[in-house]
Amino acid sequence: MCKTLPDGFCRSVGLDKTATMTIIRLLASVLIGFCCVASFASAEELDARQYYDSRTINLVVGYRAGGGYDRFARLVSEELEKQTGARVQVQNRPGAGGLSVLNDMAASESEDGLDLVVLNVSAAVTAQLTRSEIVRYDLEKIAWIGGIASDERALVLAEGLSMEALRGGETTPSPVRWAAGGKTDNLAVSAALISEAYGLDSRIITGYKGTGEAMAALIRGEADAAVVSVESAVRVANKAGLNIAAILARKRADAAPDVPTIDEIGYPETGKSWIDALIELTGLGRAIVVPTNTPADHIEFLREALRESLKSEDLLNAAEAQGTAIDPLDASALAASVAFFLAEESPIANADLRSILRDKYF
């Protein structure tokens, strides 16, 4: 190629042909590099649908495989794949009562929008309200994708125990032993609020790793009561001879239509505010969140993908078959509810609640 260069050109730049060709090759390399950068920039400017197509989304669960949150994630993952075009893989990262994944997300500087967390909202709210030492996040500074379901819970008693006994009969255990994981998980929070509402002499025993171990504690006689998901109660309690005493909601659960609500059973008038707090927290349910620095158009795309996923007949049928309730909640409504609970003027954000949930029954 050097031979094709005019001698006049080489003389004009004061170089021989070999040196001139070296410079030209360098200039060509730089030009190609600019073209590559331009192509890369264009790829980053793809719209959200193109961005997610064929990528891998991590749907992260803060609990072990096999539990209720894990089953929810696996139900939703299949439909999210259809809606986003991405491969959705469920990752289980247990720790801190399901909240370590939220701490990790809050510390993340990632902006790729590929890590979604399945969140136990009521546990996260309670931990932040009580200023738990495990909290490294701020729920008002995360991006909500949407709610999947309310967290229907049931009060389950050990064999031979009834609600009447728990309310002050001659056979009432003293103290009433409640099985829980940690101070801020749903089991402990529910136990504390019920104990306060009914004026029970209670002791909350922590250290059980999830609902399965809590139910096993009732079966073995290590504990007298636990509050678990309705799904878990129906699946385990009847087979094990345990008593599903009440649904902690304003209406009966579809999965357990013969079990009365806590309102139907009744509670002291002085305990109403604590039962209200429990039911309101339970209503926050399960949701999906992403880091707040995820691009806005990606967040909106994921919100729409989740909305459409939760409408799927395949998903609804699969959920019904396994006794799982799907109850979508819009991201903006969920964010507003969480902000209400965390506000200082909220009826449940007070020193009494913090004392009850952190100290009184432990």
Side-chain angles (χ1 to χ4, degrees):
M1 187 182 294
C2 290
K3 294 179 180 179
T4 64
L5 287 173
D7 289 337
F9 176 84
C10 295
R11 286 194 300 272
S12 68
V13 295
L15 299 170
D16 60 24
K17 290 184 179 180
T18 301
T20 303
M21 281 306 302
T22 299
I23 292 174
I24 289 174
R25 289 192 183 100
L26 288 172
L27 290 172
S29 297
V30 171
L31 182 59
I32 291 170
F34 278 128
C35 290
C36 290
V37 170
S39 297
F40 182 73
S42 297
E44 287 197 334
E45 292 168 2
L46 293 173
D47 66 32
R49 179 170 293 280
Q50 291 173 299
Y51 174 81
Y52 281 100
D53 187 44
S54 300
R55 291 177 183 260
T56 298
I57 291 175
N58 299 310
L59 193 55
V60 185
V61 182
Y63 302 93
R64 294 182 295 177
Y69 280 81
D70 179 68
R71 287 192 292 274
F72 262 100
R74 294 181 192 282
L75 271 177
V76 173
S77 65
E78 295 182 16
E79 291 301 323
L80 277 178
E81 285 191 341
K82 297 175 186 177
Q83 295 297 326
T84 62
R87 175 175 176 263
V88 180
Q89 61 180 14
V90 176
Q91 294 185 356
N92 299 90
R93 301 181 198 167
L99 298 180
S100 62
V101 292
L102 189 55
N103 286 334
D104 292 343
M105 190 192 78
S108 172
E109 296 181 357
S110 172
E111 298 180 3
D112 60 18
L114 296 174
D115 288 317
L116 281 63
V117 170
V118 181
L119 181 63
N120 180 337
V121 185
S122 58
V125 167
T126 303
Q128 186 167 331
L129 266 177
T130 56
R131 303 190 181 104
S132 169
E133 60 277 2
I134 68 172
V135 171
R136 301 288 185 273
Y137 58 81
D138 183 346
L139 289 175
E140 295 188 86
K141 295 179 181 178
I142 64 174
W144 299 91
I145 299 303
I148 305 171
S150 60
D151 196 6
E152 288 187 311
R153 299 182 207 165
L155 170 59
V156 180
L157 304 178
E159 187 174 10
L161 277 180
S162 66
M163 198 65 193
E164 290 72 22
L166 206 66
R167 294 185 65 179
E170 293 181 2
T171 58
T172 302
S174 185
V176 179
R177 300 165 301 167
W178 297 81
K183 284 188 174 183
T184 59
D185 70 6
N186 288 343
L187 287 86
V189 170
S190 301
L193 293 176
I194 290 173
S195 297
E196 194 68 17
Y198 285 96
L200 300 177
D201 173 21
S202 290
R203 180 187 171 210
I204 301 174
I205 305 169
T206 59
Y208 294 104
K209 295 179 180 178
T211 295
E213 286 196 10
M215 298 281 274
L218 268 65
I219 295 169
R220 292 193 300 263
E222 297 173 3
D224 305 304
V227 173
V228 301
S229 69
V230 172
E231 174 192 350
S232 296
V234 171
R235 190 175 64 253
V236 177
N238 291 335
K239 295 178 184 177
L242 304 177
N243 175 21
I244 307 177
I247 303 298
L248 304 179
R250 300 300 183 200
K251 63 178 183 178
R252 295 193 179 197
D254 292 339
D258 296 329
V259 179
T261 67
I262 195 75
D263 284 335
E264 291 173 317
I265 287 175
Y267 39 80
E269 183 61 30
T270 53
K272 184 178 185 304
S273 62
W274 302 115
I275 296 298
D276 287 347
L278 175 57
I279 291 175
E280 288 167 2
L281 282 169
T282 299
L284 294 174
R286 309 172 183 194
I288 292 179
V289 298
V290 294
T292 189
N293 48 0
T294 301
D297 62 325
H298 291 192
I299 292 173
E300 287 304 319
F301 174 75
L302 291 170
R303 285 174 176 171
E304 180 61 23
L306 181 61
R307 279 193 291 267
E308 292 303 313
S309 294
L310 298 180
K311 294 177 185 177
S312 162
E313 288 296 327
D314 290 341
L315 183 147
L316 294 173
N317 290 336
E320 183 178 5
Q322 67 178 39
T324 299
I326 299 295
D327 185 18
L329 184 60
D330 183 74
S332 58
L334 186 55
S337 295
V338 169
F340 166 77
F341 282 114
L342 296 178
E344 284 301 320
E345 63 272 18
S346 166
I348 67 168
N350 56 67
D352 285 343
L353 179 69
R354 293 185 181 114
S355 173
I356 288 163
L357 294 183
R358 294 199 61 173
D359 305 308
K360 185 173 182 178
Y361 296 103
F362 297 92

